[in-house]
Amino acid sequence: MAAAPPLEGRAFSRVFVPTYNAIIGFFFLVATASYFYKLHYMSKRKGEKAPLLGGQAIRPATGFTKMYRMTRSVLLYQPAGRYLESNGTMFVVAAYLGLNAFYSFYRATDTARILGNRFGLVSVVNLPIMFLLGSKTGLLVQWTGWSHEGYNILHRHAGRVVCLTAIGHVICFSLGKRTLAEQVMRSSRIGVGGGLTTLAFIIIFVTSFAPARNKAYEVFLYAHVWFLVAAIVLLFFHYARCRPYCAAASVIWLWDRFNRLKNAHHVTAVATVLSGNTVKLSLNVKSTAREIHWQTGQYVYITISKLASFQAHPFTIASPPSADTLDLVIRARQGFSKSLFLAEEQEHRVTFHGPYGSPPQFDGFSKVILLAGGAGVAYSYPEAVELAKNHPEIDIDFFWVIPQRDFVSWVDMDPKYNVDFKVWVTAEQGRPNIDQYVKDSIAAANGQKTAVAVCGPAPLVRSSRNACATLLWKGVDVEFYSENFGW
């Protein structure tokens, strides 16, 4: 088949935007519908009868149900590897990247100029999507039920598409009939603006990788925000066709910032140094006139201007909704968390906004297994206390892995909460076999519907996730939920 003429390549770009946005919109619609179905239908009790004989497991799933659980098993499984996510997450990412590769190259390889135009279009069309996924207060946070880390993963890949296609746009135009220097001389507004925008994207792209974020998070944060703002402004004046997308991205960003200000609370907080280079920050929710309500599993963004101005860091709420203080368990790493740990003052003036997140609902489950590793107890502990208080019919299996015995002082494990708090100390007992523990605990449920919720280091999450994936493959009815905050 002969190559498409240049005009046809440009003509295809005119249908790019509606079809691409329709595909992305359909994906979010399916994600939202799936979440609401799970929330309002699957999690509700359907009047199943318990087994007639005690300890007898429910008959294994067959037919469509078995195929459905096997599919979930494949999507849930997470291969070994530092940067590998679950198969389902990687499938979504691969589909998104493949879609953008198709729209970048389809009938656009005749000349460098057409390919450069297509790269530029792909970059700006993904700008609003990148900002939407980066928004912490938008409707998608409540509608899709995705975790904070799930949003971050998609946001990072959308950002990489924006940056890489912008770089490709400049390279292709530099290989065209005119040199890049000639283009700059011909039109300083287009050439200089495009060059500076690409430079901003390169800085954002380089500082966004995990090694750079982990070693210099504050540098990444400032570069991420301010260079992105500069890039949007420069791109707006770079080319007229960019302006609708820049405007849409700006509206999303401003709306997110407006909601953060609207939801902001200014409270006093007391920092208590705990073992393991950890701080418990107790926010006095009574020190503000506005009422503050939260659910277990939600998170807030906090700012302490004396320690790190213009920085908002996310932390899971570590106290039950009925508590007088909103507690955060913060491990000292670099930058802000280390400054908080080393601060001489115990009392701080804290600004926080939130709470955010759509934590899982366990109304329809007979057993809930809560796994925590280290500071992951910030999610598991209040969840256990609230479930024991509001759902005494649910069997709660609480298991906390800590390196040292004195970590137990982080939370109150009083028997009055009616929770059997199990603690595993690796310094005394070695590393636990999480895979076997999850399987044994689910087997003890005698076939009743079980949920596994985990918060902690990546190895703990992966082991518990894969144990659930194995059981799903065998037809066992189990739901899995994980919560963690990646840098």
Side-chain angles (χ1 to χ4, degrees):
M1 181 181 293
L7 182 61
E8 190 171 351
R10 292 195 186 102
F12 178 76
S13 298
R14 299 190 185 101
V15 301
F16 172 100
V17 176
T19 56
Y20 181 81
N21 287 339
I23 294 172
I24 296 296
F26 178 75
F27 166 73
F28 283 118
L29 183 63
V30 170
T32 301
S34 175
Y35 174 64
F36 273 79
Y37 174 76
K38 181 189 296 184
L39 189 64
H40 297 290
Y41 177 73
M42 291 190 65
S43 64
K44 304 300 181 183
R45 294 184 183 276
K46 307 191 178 52
E48 308 97 326
K49 294 182 179 180
L52 295 177
L53 299 176
Q56 181 179 341
I58 294 176
R59 186 173 57 187
T62 58
F64 175 79
T65 302
K66 183 175 179 61
M67 291 298 299
Y68 171 70
R69 292 178 185 172
M70 291 176 70
T71 302
R72 286 175 53 205
S73 169
V74 173
L75 296 176
L76 182 63
Y77 183 82
Q78 181 179 359
R82 184 174 181 181
Y83 298 109
L84 295 180
E85 305 294 337
S86 67
N87 287 336
T89 300
M90 291 193 293
F91 172 78
V92 171
V93 170
Y96 171 72
L97 296 179
L99 182 67
N100 278 276
F102 168 78
Y103 275 102
S104 294
F105 295 104
Y106 179 72
R107 293 188 174 180
T109 57
D110 299 87
T111 67
R113 188 175 183 83
I114 292 178
L115 183 59
N117 275 325
R118 188 68 63 77
F119 278 147
L121 184 57
V122 170
S123 181
V124 297
V125 167
N126 279 283
L127 269 177
I129 298 171
M130 180 186 71
F131 274 81
L132 190 61
L133 291 169
S135 169
K136 303 302 184 293
T137 64
L139 292 176
L140 290 180
V141 175
Q142 287 78 31
W143 287 6
T144 62
W146 292 341
S147 66
H148 175 274
E149 186 65 10
Y151 266 99
N152 255 350
I153 292 171
L154 295 178
H155 171 68
R156 290 170 197 162
H157 284 89
R160 288 162 188 164
V161 167
V162 170
C163 293
L164 289 175
T165 49
I167 295 170
H169 172 73
V170 172
I171 292 175
C172 286
F173 269 83
S174 68
L175 297 176
K177 294 181 180 180
R178 300 185 183 92
T179 65
L180 187 60
E182 289 173 337
Q183 291 184 55
V184 171
M185 293 298 295
R186 178 174 176 267
S187 176
S188 60
R189 176 178 60 83
I190 294 178
V192 175
L196 292 176
T197 301
T198 304
L199 178 61
F201 280 142
I202 291 174
I203 294 173
I204 294 170
F205 180 74
V206 171
T207 58
S208 67
F209 284 98
R213 295 198 314 270
N214 293 339
K215 290 183 179 180
Y217 179 75
E218 276 71 23
V219 173
F220 152 75
L221 188 61
Y222 284 124
H224 199 70
V225 174
W226 297 115
F227 278 102
L228 195 54
V229 171
I232 293 297
V233 174
L234 291 167
L235 195 58
F236 184 87
F237 294 103
H238 170 62
Y239 195 64
R241 290 184 65 185
C242 299
R243 292 175 183 175
Y245 309 105
C246 292
S250 299
V251 168
I252 294 171
W253 187 81
L254 290 172
W255 179 253
D256 182 58
R257 297 290 162 168
F258 170 76
N259 280 330
R260 293 189 188 192
L261 290 174
K262 185 183 69 173
N263 297 330
H265 304 273
H266 307 279
V267 300
T268 58
V270 176
T272 305
V273 176
L274 306 175
S275 55
N277 294 334
T278 302
V279 175
K280 182 170 74 171
L281 191 65
S282 299
L283 281 62
N284 183 4
V285 294
K286 306 298 183 182
S287 61
T288 177
R290 297 168 58 189
E291 290 189 6
I292 302 173
H293 303 282
W294 67 88
Q295 302 176 44
T296 56
Q298 290 191 307
Y299 55 92
V300 295
Y301 283 80
I302 68 168
T303 300
I304 302 180
S305 298
K306 286 186 177 180
L307 301 180
S309 300
F310 307 110
Q311 291 185 19
H313 297 259
F315 296 100
T316 301
I317 301 173
S319 51
S322 56
D324 293 330
T325 59
L326 191 156
D327 297 338
L328 308 173
V329 176
I330 303 172
R331 294 294 300 272
R333 296 177 183 268
Q334 301 290 334
F336 166 76
S337 58
K338 189 174 183 180
S339 298
L340 177 62
F341 177 75
L342 297 176
E344 295 182 0
E345 302 88 352
Q346 286 188 316
E347 188 169 297
H348 301 275
R349 189 66 180 171
V350 176
T351 299
F352 77 92
H353 61 90
Y356 303 117
S358 301
Q361 303 296 320
F362 299 115
D363 294 353
F365 294 90
S366 298
K367 184 171 186 176
V368 176
I369 303 170
L370 298 170
L371 302 173
V377 74
Y379 162 72
S380 304
Y381 172 75
E383 188 70 82
V385 172
E386 281 299 293
L387 281 175
K389 176 183 177 182
N390 299 321
H391 298 281
E393 75 281 0
I394 296 180
D395 180 17
I396 303 169
D397 187 337
F398 180 94
F399 189 76
W400 185 21
V401 182
I402 53 178
Q404 302 291 338
R405 175 69 60 178
D406 54 2
F407 281 37
V408 175
S409 63
W410 289 7
V411 293
D412 180 11
M413 293 189 174
D414 196 291
K416 67 183 178 183
Y417 294 117
N418 297 320
V419 177
D420 181 17
F421 294 108
K422 302 186 187 73
V423 178
W424 184 284
V425 184
T426 57
E428 302 171 3
Q429 302 167 275
R431 294 191 177 277
N433 187 337
I434 296 297
D435 178 88
Q436 192 60 50
Y437 181 86
V438 171
K439 292 177 180 177
D440 290 344
S441 184
I442 293 177
N446 295 322
Q448 297 299 298
K449 191 171 183 179
T450 304
V452 176
V454 57
C455 184
L460 175 70
V461 175
R462 183 170 59 250
S463 296
S464 53
R465 180 192 299 274
N466 290 345
C468 292
T470 301
L471 293 172
L472 276 169
W473 183 265
K474 296 178 180 179
V476 178
D477 189 9
V478 58
E479 289 286 337
F480 179 83
Y481 172 81
S482 68
E483 181 64 75
N484 61 308
F485 290 95
W487 280 22

